[in-house]
Amino acid sequence: MTSVHITLAVLVAFIWGVNFTFIAWSLESFPPLMLTAMRFFFTAIPLVLFLKPPKLNRTLFIYAIGTFVLQYAFVFTAMHLGASAGLTALLLQMQIFITVLLAYFILGETVSRKQIVGMIIGLLGLAVIALNLGGDMPLLGFICILIAAIGWSFGNIASKQASKQVSKPSNLKNTQQDTSATSISSAHGKNKTAALSALALVVWGGLIACVILTLSSLIFEMDAWTLTTVTQASLKSWLSLGFIVYISTLIGFGLWAHLLAQNTASKVMPFALLVPIFGMATSMLLTGESLTWWKLLAMVLILSGLILANVRIGLRRKIVST
């Protein structure tokens, strides 16, 4: 990965870590499914009027349902049930392991022995959380977050496949007769196209998610769909919703999809290990969440597993290449 891509990946991790606190504040005024539907309504409108839609195929629907519907409907529900922002941010990162496994089975990307050992260590961290359910992490919330992690993982794979579908035509246009100047111009053009395609994927995927989530909320949260819910919502909840929509969703997922398009999943996904660090720190500072010994142990195990599975592999490759 280039230094620019690394910087963007860290930025996205920070945005997503802080986002869990904003979710908690939004849930003070809105029920989870309604909040999720509102999130993707404002994500899609009005940008769908200006962005060319990606190819409407199975990949787009898997991305929308996995990344947006399953992930956020269940994350919001888990936090509504009492899961703390910090623990939710930590537990959701199990999607990294799941994504790497899916990339192996679906995309044919390699998985080394060190990655397998790292996954086992990460599962030990998951077990620590499972043994301390209650309070900051109720059982039903725990199950909801695991479902959300699985949904996000499928969405990551779909995002990468969609990006490949967009980039194939432009790749075929390059020939060996291109001059160096033409090649540089072509690279900039492809990067711009990839960025716009990533944003279009988020916006149009959000529109699909909005329809599904609105129908679900009307079925399960019918009493919440009143004018009173909107007028009595606090300013803090509305501002938090704005951060969730425009910063976390449009900027965060747009950059993430672009990074996945330019790099292998195994290189991009490790940066998500920073999300629980930012998430836990923000939750402690802004919501007063306590850092108990078992939370710290779970974080150390999960993050150690991620580092072992990914960072050391990168160092080894650098040594071999020199």
Side-chain angles (χ1 to χ4, degrees), residues 160-216:
K160 189 165 184 63
Q161 289 181 318
S163 300
K164 285 183 176 180
Q165 292 169 1
V166 171
S167 62
K168 279 182 180 179
S170 61
N171 289 339
L172 293 176
K173 295 179 182 179
N174 294 326
T175 63
Q176 294 180 347
Q177 287 75 26
D178 288 342
T179 64
S180 59
T182 304
S183 298
I184 293 173
S185 176
S186 176
H188 285 302
K190 286 191 289 183
N191 286 337
K192 183 178 179 180
T193 300
L196 289 175
S197 299
L199 181 60
L201 186 66
V202 173
V203 169
W204 283 89
L207 181 63
I208 295 171
C210 175
V211 174
I212 297 173
L213 289 163
T214 300
L215 293 175
S216 300

Side-chain angles (χ1 to χ4, degrees), residues 161-277:
Q161 289 181 318
S163 300
K164 285 183 176 180
Q165 292 169 1
V166 171
S167 62
K168 279 182 180 179
S170 61
N171 289 339
L172 293 176
K173 295 179 182 179
N174 294 326
T175 63
Q176 294 180 347
Q177 287 75 26
D178 288 342
T179 64
S180 59
T182 304
S183 298
I184 293 173
S185 176
S186 176
H188 285 302
K190 286 191 289 183
N191 286 337
K192 183 178 179 180
T193 300
L196 289 175
S197 299
L199 181 60
L201 186 66
V202 173
V203 169
W204 283 89
L207 181 63
I208 295 171
C210 175
V211 174
I212 297 173
L213 289 163
T214 300
L215 293 175
S216 300
S217 181
L218 287 172
I219 294 172
F220 297 106
E221 301 169 341
M222 184 179 297
D223 294 340
W225 287 84
T226 63
L227 185 61
T228 303
T229 301
V230 176
T231 57
Q232 292 186 353
S234 67
L235 178 61
K236 181 172 71 172
S237 294
W238 280 113
L239 291 176
S240 297
L241 177 60
F243 180 92
I244 293 170
V245 171
Y246 300 108
I247 306 299
S248 176
T249 305
L250 289 177
I251 294 179
F253 276 100
L255 288 176
W256 196 251
H258 178 63
L259 289 170
L260 284 171
Q262 302 297 314
N263 305 275
T264 64
S266 60
K267 288 183 178 180
V268 177
M269 297 313 299
F271 286 92
L273 65 86
L274 297 174
V275 173
I277 297 177

Side-chain angles (χ1 to χ4, degrees), residues 53 139 147 261:
L139 174 60
I147 295 173

